[in-house]
Amino acid sequence: MTSRQSTPLGASAIRQANLREHNLGLVLRLIIDAPVPLSRADIATATGLTRATVSSLADRLIMAALVAELPPVMSQRAGRPAVPLVPARGTLAAVGMEINVDYLGVRVVDLSGDVLGQQVESADFRSSDPIAVIGRLSELYSEVTGGLGTEIRMAGSALAIPGLVDRSTGPVRLAPNLGWRDVDVVGEFHAHPATSQVLIRLDNEATLAARAEADALRPIGLFSFLYVSGEVGIGGALVVDGGVFGGRHGWSGEIGHMVVDPAGPLCRCGSTGCLEQFAGKDALMRSAGMDLDLPVEDLLHAARSGDASALASLTLAAQALGTALANAVNLVDVENVVLGGIYAPMAPFLIPVIDEALRSRVLSAPWSGLCVYPAEVRDYAALTGAASAVLSDVIDDPSGWLDS
Ligand SMILES: [Zn+2]
């Protein structure tokens, strides 16, 4: 035996192993993001890997129940029929959770994007007690995950918070509309016996909602946009080349606290004239003369029926949004603006006014092809984005899920 053979795990072997793990993630990511299912030959073409390597990687992913095969289809090319590969359903999942100003939610999503379980509960969490709210979230988590089949493996969970999160382990530094400051959300969640062992990470609500939108837009080739998430508060996120730009601490995107009128009303953050005070849900309902607890559908219904107060409220909000977004686009140079949260169903009323503001205030507008869209992901996008954040780590490095 030579000395070379006596060190089977030398640097070169380790590099080989790393490369294999990297390629495993590459192949899984391609299968998950593909707008139409890919065959092994398609993946070989897309990656430049050999057909044999792709087959071996795909087989490992199938064995691990991360990928499934569909019935073979005859391909255009000569030879054997192609077997389309798709993300496996109902095998590996993650939990997305959200605490927002007027609801709590828990959603379980698998690798294929299917929702396996969900509960969303409406309540008023303005100036709420964090311990009580996190306690209820822990109960909801147990109720939703307790109803799932035992064959489903859980990759972990992520919680969306409408405020500034200091690292994924917390604390939540500030959630102005909840009235929370320096709350150890992870510690409180783990203080409940039923969720004491649950892997949980924190992130900003708009960041996670933008992530869900980025997942939805990637297959159609749209990778960069400014996302605005309307709720009681207004969040934002800048997505560049498919990734959310977090800023130095992950605190970027606080578009709701951009000042649109320094002489405007006092904001929950302590400043005055923030965008939220003109275009947040409470501001919209108040200026339409409607009860703050009513759903936005009531405001939209009134606007569609031609109610002057409802229409004026939407126009005022759209003008404030237009001002803030024009400032933001001048700063960051993106050409797509996506309206999420409550703004997606309001888009027909908002877009013409926002569009006009962008065209008249953004310096590069004549050349940049600026466009404002309603979000693709409508239904509690941050819940989906939170689950996606966890699953994304599995997709990038599936090696830890191969042997179970
Ligand atoms: Zn503010």
Side-chain angles (χ1 to χ4, degrees), residues 185-272:
V185 173
V186 172
E188 282 302 327
F189 194 72
H190 283 160
H192 295 268
T195 52
S196 63
Q197 302 298 318
V198 172
L199 278 176
I200 175 175
R201 65 167 90 168
L202 308 178
D203 211 332
N204 174 266
E205 172 267 329
T207 298
L208 292 171
R211 189 184 180 100
E213 187 68 17
D215 288 344
L217 296 180
R218 201 180 304 123
I220 60 166
L222 208 158
F223 301 104
S224 299
F225 55 92
L226 181 61
Y227 184 84
V228 194
S229 168
E231 300 292 343
V232 171
I234 302 172
L238 176 62
V239 178
V240 180
D241 297 334
V244 177
F245 172 78
R248 174 78 177 82
H249 306 87
W251 295 342
S252 76
E254 287 296 338
I255 196 166
H257 301 284
M258 282 181 80
V259 178
V260 292
D261 175 10
L266 183 66
C267 180
R268 303 270 311 185
C269 73
S271 180
T272 54

Side-chain angles (χ1 to χ4, degrees), residues 282-325:
D282 285 357
L284 272 158
M285 300 307 278
R286 194 178 292 118
S287 99
M290 300 176 76
D291 192 306
L292 300 193
D293 293 330
L294 289 174
V296 287
E297 286 73 25
D298 289 25
L299 173 69
L300 280 169
H301 181 72
R304 288 191 198 106
S305 316
D307 180 274
S309 303
L311 288 167
S313 165
L314 287 164
T315 301
L316 193 70
Q319 286 166 341
L321 279 165
T323 302
L325 287 168

Side-chain angles (χ1 to χ4, degrees), residues 320-336:
L321 279 165
T323 302
L325 287 168
N327 284 328
V329 172
N330 270 324
L331 186 66
V332 299
D333 175 27
V334 284
E335 52 192 21
N336 300 296

Side-chain angles (χ1 to χ4, degrees), residues 79-113:
R80 286 178 294 168
V83 177
L85 300 172
V86 291
R89 305 182 103 110
T91 56
L92 182 83
V95 184
M97 301 187 281
E98 182 176 4
I99 296 173
N100 216 316
V101 184
D102 49 3
Y103 62 87
L104 269 184
V106 174
R107 171 178 284 168
V108 182
V109 182
D110 72 7
L111 278 176
S112 76

